[in-house]
């Protein structure tokens, strides 16, 4: 296989991504040619990269001579033939199949037989893009994340014709550039854009049902350790972009109902409420900052009854509830065999969600004073959604959130919906990751790395799975499926197998 270290690299497309890729390549010691069809674009990018390198040197992040040497290795070219001796061509032009394919034909003519050709496409099939190349074996996806110099993740994407040795060489190169590469098979969304879909889709579903406000949804997911909630993140990405990715996933999977785009988001796009960039999306922005009315902190209406409290079920959440209650000076009785996790207070129950709404559990158990709370997946105290059964008495409605506050959470009451906010979102993220692994898109380790580095998730989907347990994840999905019907919440065969195995353990 071609040895790529130190060899010339051609970057085609001098936009946001191409400039970043050229900067990283030159900093890693490669002579870099930058080419763009827009007159002056490549020259402009060379200047911008030079300024960025100088700024890094001024801040002491790189040595001034390293910055100067990196700038000297960069060259804007007007003809692809000027890069005839390059060992790798990375394409980062407009996201258009026909335009990219036409370019590869030109690149193949300009470069040598041994030159590898990589695309930074975020959504197009590597197999389809490679069609028409004289040698599709040398073609591979090299998917960087924005901003390229800062984001560690690179998805190395193989199409059906990609030579495994080419994918291995690109992986080694990405590592030499200081990145963390993960191997993926070319399927819609690759790893990150695919597994992340439910993060947005579940929030949009809650909005469509009018179960919660954007600020409530965001607070709950921030409480679960995400840096940003899905509503503020969609506003940042732009609803047009986010909607287009979901539509393309849906189309590319032949209309799989798992990926049905949201009517709520379509309407935002139709109204031009695209998010931060238009000053309005799910939130309003003034001078680029969200206009927020702060939620008042929860204040209990009065003292809670001084009775013993039973903690039901097993596992980390039950243990955590028992510890918190003891810490608050409460007498705790453990009831490990009850089949649900939560707290019993006299004749009332506060249950960890199993995917069913509180009213559904109340109806099925005959327990009128019932509330459910969301999955506390992060260790720390934080916002936690809860809802009350329609049958609950007025006193339980005021006491349930006070018990949650005593347990160390900031209770956020939402409408009585299935799987509340975090449980349904995390279950679906795990489910999507499980399907990706089942279908040979990537390994579980790659999925965890990709989600932590590509979109800053606080944990990988398989780390959550280990903590939560496949049986519980499947239970939540099945209850969601029973309520919503229609494929969206079908459990991955991978998860079912893990749950059956765990059940036998
Ligand atoms: P951009 O619009 O900033 O830059 C694209 C550049 O390509 C422009 O300068 C344009 O003049 C040039 N160009 C267009 N057609 C060309 C051609 N035939 N030959 C040479 N140059 C041509 O776009 P971007 O955001 O840098 O995205 C580039 C690619 O990277 C796309 O495939 C996109 O999907 C992918 N990507 C983007 C992001 C992101 O966050 N922006 C992240 C990952 C991947």
């Amino acid at each position: 296989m071609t040895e790529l270290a130190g060899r010339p690299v051609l970057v085609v497309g001098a936009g946001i991504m191409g400039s970043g890729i050229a900067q990283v390549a030159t900093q890693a010691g490669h002579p870099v040619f930058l080419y763009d069809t827009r007159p002056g674009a490549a020259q402009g990018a060379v200047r911008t990269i030079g300024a960025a390198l100088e700024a890094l040197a001024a801040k002491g992040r790189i040595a001034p001579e390293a910055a100067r040497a990196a700038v000297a290795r960069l060259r804007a070219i007007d003809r692809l033939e000027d890069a005839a001796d390059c060992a790798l061509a990375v394409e980062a032009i407009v996201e258009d199949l026909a335009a990219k394919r036409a370019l590869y034909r030109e690149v193949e003519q300009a470069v040598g037989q041994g030159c590898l050709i990589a695309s930074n496409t975020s959504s197009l099939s590597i197999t389809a893009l490679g069609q028409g190349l004289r040698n599709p074996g040398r073609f591979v996806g090299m998917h960087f994340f924005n901003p390229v110099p800062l984001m560690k993740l690179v998805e190395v994407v193989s199409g059906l014709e990609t030579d495994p040795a080419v994918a291995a060489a690109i992986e080694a190169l990405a590592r030499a550039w200081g990145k963390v590469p993960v191997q993926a098979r070319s399927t819609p969304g690759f790893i990150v854009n695919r597994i992340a879909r439910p993060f947005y889709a579940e929030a949009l579903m809650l909005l469509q049902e009018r179960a919660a406000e954007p600020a409530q949804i965001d607070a709950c997911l921030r409480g679960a350790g995400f840096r940003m909630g899905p509503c503020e993140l969609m506003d940042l990405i732009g609803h047009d972009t986010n909607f287009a990715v979901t539509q393309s996933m849906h189309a590319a999977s032949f209309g799989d109902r798992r990926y049905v785009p949201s009517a709520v988001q379509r309407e935002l796009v139709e109204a031009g409420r695209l998010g931060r960039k238009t000053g309005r999306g799910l939130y309003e922005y003034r001078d680029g900052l969200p206009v927020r009315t702060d939620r008042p902190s929860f204040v209990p209406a009065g003292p809670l009854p001084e009775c013993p409290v039973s903690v039901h079920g097993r596992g980390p959440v039950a243990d955590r509830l028992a510890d918190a209650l003891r810490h608050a000076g409460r007498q705790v009785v453990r009831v490990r065999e009850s089949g649900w996790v939560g707290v019993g207070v006299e004749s009332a129950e506060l249950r960890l969600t199993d995917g069913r709404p509180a009213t559904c559990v109340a109806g099925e158990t005959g327990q009128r004073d019932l509330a459910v709370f969301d999955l506390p997946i992060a260790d720390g105290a934080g916002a936690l959604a809860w809802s009350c059964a329609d049958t609950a008495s007025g006193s339980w409605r005021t006491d349930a959130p006070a018990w949650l506050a005593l347990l160390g959470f900031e209770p956020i009451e939402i409408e009585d919906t299935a799987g509340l906010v975090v449980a349904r979102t995390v279950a679906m993220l795990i489910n999507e990751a499980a399907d990706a692994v089942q279908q040979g898109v990537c390994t579980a380790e790659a999925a965890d790395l990709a989600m932590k580095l590509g979109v800053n998730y606080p944990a990988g989907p398989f780390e959550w799975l280990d903590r939560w347990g496949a049986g519980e994840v499947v239970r939540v999905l099945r209850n969601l499926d029973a309520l919503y019907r229609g494929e969206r919440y079908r459990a991955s065969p991978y998860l079912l197998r893990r749950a059956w195995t765990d059940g036998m353990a």
Side-chain angles (χ1 to χ4, degrees), residues 316-350:
V317 176
D319 292 345
R320 179 174 171 175
L321 299 177
D323 286 349
L325 286 164
R326 286 197 197 99
H327 191 72
R330 293 289 175 154
Q331 193 190 334
V332 173
V333 182
R334 292 293 300 252
V335 190
R336 290 189 168 81
E337 304 301 335
S338 56
W340 56 274
V341 171
V343 171
V345 186
E346 296 171 333
S347 64
E349 289 177 3
L350 184 57

Side-chain angles (χ1 to χ4, degrees), residues 57-101:
K59 283 187 204 152
R61 303 251 178 88
I62 56 173
E65 52 278 17
R68 273 193 296 276
V71 173
R73 281 189 292 268
L74 258 180
R75 200 180 128 201
I77 55 171
D78 295 324
R79 302 175 326 136
L80 288 171
E81 290 69 30
D82 293 342
D85 64 341
C86 68
L88 168 69
V90 186
E91 167 273 309
I93 70 163
V94 58
E95 189 75 338
D96 179 279
L97 184 94
K100 287 186 195 277
R101 274 184 175 167

Side-chain angles (χ1 to χ4, degrees), residues 13 15-17 36-38 92-93 95 100 120 122 143-144 146:
I16 302 172
M17 298 304 284
D36 199 294
T37 43
R38 190 160 41 91
I93 70 163
E95 189 75 338
K100 287 186 195 277
N120 183 48
S122 34
H143 185 211
F144 290 86
N146 187 16

Side-chain angles (χ1 to χ4, degrees), residues 95-108:
E95 189 75 338
D96 179 279
L97 184 94
K100 287 186 195 277
R101 274 184 175 167
L103 172 75
Y104 303 151
R105 279 193 290 278
E106 287 179 49
V107 170
E108 264 194 327

Side-chain angles (χ1 to χ4, degrees), residues 36-359:
D36 199 294
T37 43
R38 190 160 41 91
Q43 290 76 4
V46 167
R47 282 194 296 277
T48 313
I49 298 167
L53 290 168
E54 263 176 39
L56 285 176
K59 283 187 204 152
R61 303 251 178 88
I62 56 173
E65 52 278 17
R68 273 193 296 276
V71 173
R73 281 189 292 268
L74 258 180
R75 200 180 128 201
I77 55 171
D78 295 324
R79 302 175 326 136
L80 288 171
E81 290 69 30
D82 293 342
D85 64 341
C86 68
L88 168 69
V90 186
E91 167 273 309
I93 70 163
V94 58
E95 189 75 338
D96 179 279
L97 184 94
K100 287 186 195 277
R101 274 184 175 167
L103 172 75
Y104 303 151
R105 279 193 290 278
E106 287 179 49
V107 170
E108 264 194 327
Q109 280 181 357
V111 301
Q113 291 284 335
C115 174
L116 307 189
I117 303 176
S119 173
N120 183 48
T121 181
S122 34
S123 66
L124 299 172
S125 154
I126 293 300
T127 304
L129 283 174
Q131 266 293 314
L133 261 82
R134 263 179 291 162
N135 172 11
R138 64 160 135 173
F139 180 68
V140 66
M142 193 175 190
H143 185 211
F144 290 86
F145 289 74
N146 187 16
V148 179
L150 296 182
M151 297 296 283
K152 287 278 177 203
L153 186 69
V154 176
E155 292 178 333
V156 180
V157 188
S158 289
L160 216 48
E161 303 292 345
T162 305
D163 181 342
V166 170
I170 294 296
E171 175 177 338
L173 183 75
R175 201 161 276 129
W177 288 5
K179 300 296 179 194
V180 179
V182 289
Q183 293 283 352
R185 205 163 63 76
S186 179
T187 44
F190 310 142
I191 305 176
V192 172
N193 275 335
R194 173 190 181 150
I195 297 178
R197 290 332 313 145
F199 189 62
Y200 315 110
E202 292 310 306
L204 290 165
M205 190 80 165
L206 289 166
L207 292 174
Q208 179 154 338
E209 273 184 31
R210 299 188 173 253
E213 296 293 323
Q216 292 179 306
I217 297 171
D218 284 347
C220 290
L221 283 151
R222 269 189 263 110
F226 290 85
R227 276 198 208 165
M228 289 179 94
C231 300
E232 51 195 348
L233 186 52
M234 283 186 282
D235 270 7
L236 183 67
I237 294 167
H239 289 279
D240 49 345
T241 306
N242 195 263
F243 187 58
V245 176
T246 311
Q247 275 186 305
S248 107
M249 280 287 301
H250 185 236
S253 59
F254 304 108
D256 187 336
R257 295 200 55 76
R258 173 89 48 88
Y259 309 113
V260 172
S262 163
V264 170
Q265 193 167 44
R266 182 182 56 195
E267 197 177 16
L268 288 171
V269 175
E270 285 168 347
R273 294 190 187 183
L274 305 182
R276 258 175 212 242
K277 61 186 171 189
T278 58
R280 194 157 186 197
L282 289 165
Y283 296 97
E284 255 185 75
Y285 299 85
R286 214 165 291 138
D287 303 324
L289 293 173
V291 183
R292 281 209 186 133
T293 35
D294 280 339
R295 255 173 319 107
S297 309
F298 173 78
V299 182
L304 288 166
E306 286 298 330
C307 54
V309 184
S310 48
V311 171
H312 291 250
R314 302 169 181 281
V317 176
D319 292 345
R320 179 174 171 175
L321 299 177
D323 286 349
L325 286 164
R326 286 197 197 99
H327 191 72
R330 293 289 175 154
Q331 193 190 334
V332 173
V333 182
R334 292 293 300 252
V335 190
R336 290 189 168 81
E337 304 301 335
S338 56
W340 56 274
V341 171
V343 171
V345 186
E346 296 171 333
S347 64
E349 289 177 3
L350 184 57
R351 293 185 177 215
L352 170 66
T353 180
D354 63 4
R356 292 175 294 172
T359 308

